[in-house]
Amino acid sequence: MDALRDEEDAAAPLVAAPAASRRSPAADAHILSAAFLFVFSAYGAAQNLESTVNTKGDLGTVSLGILYTSFTLFSVVASPVVTRLGPKRALVVGSSGYVLFILANIVPTWYTMVQASLYLGFCASIIWVGQGTYLTSAALSHARDNNLSEGRTLGNFTGEFWGIMASTQVIGNLLSLALLRNGKDGGSVTGKNLLFVVFLGCMIVGIVLMCLLSKREEKGHNGPLHSSFGAMLKYIVAPLKDRRMLLIIPLMVYTGLQHAFVWAVFTKSIVTPVLGISGVGGAMAIYGAAGAVCALATGYLTSGLYSATLIVSMGATVQAVVLFWLLLFYSPMGGVLGTVAPLLIGALWGAGDGMMNTELNAVVGLLFEDAKEASFAQFKVWECGAVAVIFFLSPHITLQAMLILMTVALLISFAAFLLLTFVVEKSSAVRS
């Protein structure tokens, strides 16, 4: 009897283990989206405030430039780091940088902000590669478990995630508006510190949710990482040998440019002259709301590369209309029309962003399923490099020059994406 009981005790962990992993991939996607909602509602609003609350010596703007430069450099090596850690651990470790950045804003000095920005660059690189890898893995697992279309399922999961991510602009900016409403140029020190303490609490909730995620390890995660620097470098640059990656890189670059345009140019040159600093939160909330609605809607309309191309075309058209409007017709004015114009521009830009960003993430996950970590790392290298360029460039060029740069980048990226669709469809036809 004792021997039989010992055998049962020994077998118990083997029987119980699947129960812990029985959570559906869809449930994990919901938890991941909720975790990012808490973390990035706080971080997104903090980022929008940097140039307003940390004005001495342009500390806020310079810190963001350093952050995105660090982000770009570390993204080059993020894929092997995420491969070794696994996507779940990469998410948890990566979130620590956002906590440190918020803490640095409570005592903002060159020493605290620069150090925190450098570390956040590393953490952001692995959290975003981890996010793309984890969400793609969950979506494809859900599709296979339920005999569903991989393209449609990945579109649904991606649409939900990016819809919730876009809504962080609404939540975070409304928090800022509520806690800083009584002050100019970022409010009182007490109000600012209270806001960042609230942000810190939001991030802790997000980290707890990340810890509740199921592990989704990919093959090879537990093996040796790379035998040499040369082998690691080969792994990192391997996606660049793929013609599809070369054709999608321009849209990755434009994604970074159009995000930085909102953060560094739209708020400063379009919103503030008409609505003042106090209007930035409201304009960004509208931008986020429009992006959230479009991301959710387009995610559920995605079924493959063809539908993604149609949606990207719509998003590119919307942003092209805004750019030509600003370039040829727009000028700040008073009255109701003058007040509504920046809000409408924000809504249209957010709608275009929601469509293009959602589809780009879905397409990367779909086309590069066998090299998810390396492909999403490439995405972040190009996207964040473009963000850093705008942060450093925007103080030194005119709004007109910036709009011309954005228009040229949009046309090139859209043309390359159309060519990508043609190449992939032609390749599929040949294989058939």
Side-chain angles (χ1 to χ4, degrees):
M1 290 295 292
D2 291 339
L4 182 59
R5 188 179 295 110
D6 289 342
E7 281 186 24
E8 291 175 348
D9 291 342
L14 300 178
V15 174
S21 59
R22 263 202 292 267
R23 185 189 300 137
S24 72
D28 277 325
H30 299 329
I31 293 172
L32 179 68
S33 298
F36 273 66
L37 174 66
F38 280 98
V39 171
F40 284 90
S41 290
Y43 171 71
Q47 178 178 255
N48 292 338
L49 289 169
E50 281 304 312
S51 61
T52 304
V53 298
N54 293 321
T55 56
K56 188 175 181 180
D58 288 326
L59 175 60
T61 304
V62 172
S63 295
L64 290 177
I66 292 171
L67 191 164
Y68 280 98
T69 302
S70 173
F71 194 167
T72 304
L73 295 175
F74 280 116
S75 291
V76 174
V77 296
S79 56
V81 174
V82 174
T83 301
R84 170 56 63 87
L85 291 175
K88 176 185 173 178
R89 283 190 291 271
L91 290 167
V92 175
V93 173
S95 60
S96 66
Y98 293 89
V99 172
L100 184 61
F101 185 76
I102 294 298
L103 288 172
N105 270 278
I106 296 175
V107 188
T109 66
W110 284 101
Y111 180 78
T112 57
M113 291 296 294
V114 170
Q115 307 300 321
S117 296
L118 286 170
Y119 179 62
L120 179 53
F122 164 72
C123 289
S125 71
I126 64 171
I127 200 175
W128 282 110
V129 174
Q131 175 273 326
T133 302
Y134 192 96
L135 190 67
T136 300
S137 178
L140 297 180
S141 295
H142 184 73
R144 291 161 187 163
D145 291 347
N146 296 279
N147 296 318
L148 301 172
S149 162
E150 291 186 354
R152 183 173 295 279
T153 305
L154 186 56
N156 292 346
F157 278 43
T158 306
E160 175 190 328
F161 177 84
W162 286 105
I164 289 176
M165 271 299 296
S167 70
T168 62
Q169 285 287 347
V170 181
I171 297 170
N173 282 295
L174 289 179
L175 278 173
S176 299
L177 189 63
L179 294 175
L180 300 179
R181 66 185 184 277
N182 293 324
K184 293 182 178 180
D185 302 327
S188 66
V189 173
T190 302
K192 190 205 81 168
N193 286 345
L194 175 61
L195 177 63
F196 280 96
V197 169
V198 171
F199 286 165
L200 188 61
C202 290
M203 288 191 172
I204 290 172
V205 173
I207 294 172
V208 171
L209 288 172
M210 287 182 190
C211 292
L212 297 178
L213 290 168
S214 304
K215 285 187 177 181
R216 296 196 171 275
E217 306 293 353
E218 299 293 325
K219 291 180 180 180
H221 278 183
N222 296 322
L225 185 57
H226 295 286
S227 57
S228 66
F229 177 77
M232 183 181 75
L233 189 62
K234 183 179 179 181
Y235 172 76
I236 292 167
V237 302
L240 295 176
K241 298 179 181 179
D242 191 325
R243 181 171 52 173
R244 299 172 303 170
M245 178 61 74
L246 295 177
L247 289 173
I248 207 171
I249 282 175
L251 190 58
M252 295 176 177
V253 171
Y254 178 74
T255 298
L257 292 176
Q258 62 102 3
H259 283 152
F261 176 80
V262 171
W263 301 330
V265 180
F266 171 69
T267 54
K268 179 181 178 181
S269 301
I270 307 297
V271 178
T272 302
V274 176
L275 302 178
I277 292 175
S278 60
V280 171
M284 291 300 289
I286 291 173
Y287 159 81
V293 171
C294 287
L296 288 168
T298 55
Y300 282 97
L301 292 173
T302 303
S303 58
L305 182 59
Y306 181 72
S307 60
T309 302
L310 290 177
I311 294 168
V312 168
S313 301
M314 292 171 59
T317 300
V318 170
Q319 291 201 345
V321 168
V322 173
L323 287 170
F324 281 113
W325 177 17
L326 291 173
L327 198 56
L328 302 175
F329 305 109
Y330 179 79
S331 62
M333 56 183 175
V336 176
L337 288 178
T339 302
V340 170
L343 303 180
L344 178 59
I345 290 169
L348 290 173
W349 197 264
D353 175 37
M355 287 186 268
M356 287 193 290
N357 194 42
T358 300
E359 297 310 306
L360 179 56
N361 278 272
V363 169
V364 170
L366 196 60
L367 293 183
F368 306 101
E369 178 188 347
D370 296 331
K372 290 188 287 294
E373 295 93 342
S375 299
F376 279 106
Q378 286 289 338
F379 186 177
K380 291 305 166 184
V381 167
W382 296 102
E383 180 187 18
C384 297
V387 172
V389 166
I390 295 296
F391 273 122
F392 285 123
L393 188 64
S394 60
H396 306 292
I397 65 172
T398 64
L399 175 61
Q400 203 81 351
M402 181 65 72
L403 292 170
I404 293 171
L405 170 65
M406 294 294 298
T407 303
V408 172
L410 175 58
L411 294 174
I412 292 173
S413 62
F414 180 56
F417 193 80
L418 289 179
L419 183 57
L420 167 70
T421 305
F422 174 76
V423 167
V424 172
E425 292 294 337
K426 184 178 179 181
S427 176
S428 300
V430 169
R431 284 199 299 271
S432 299

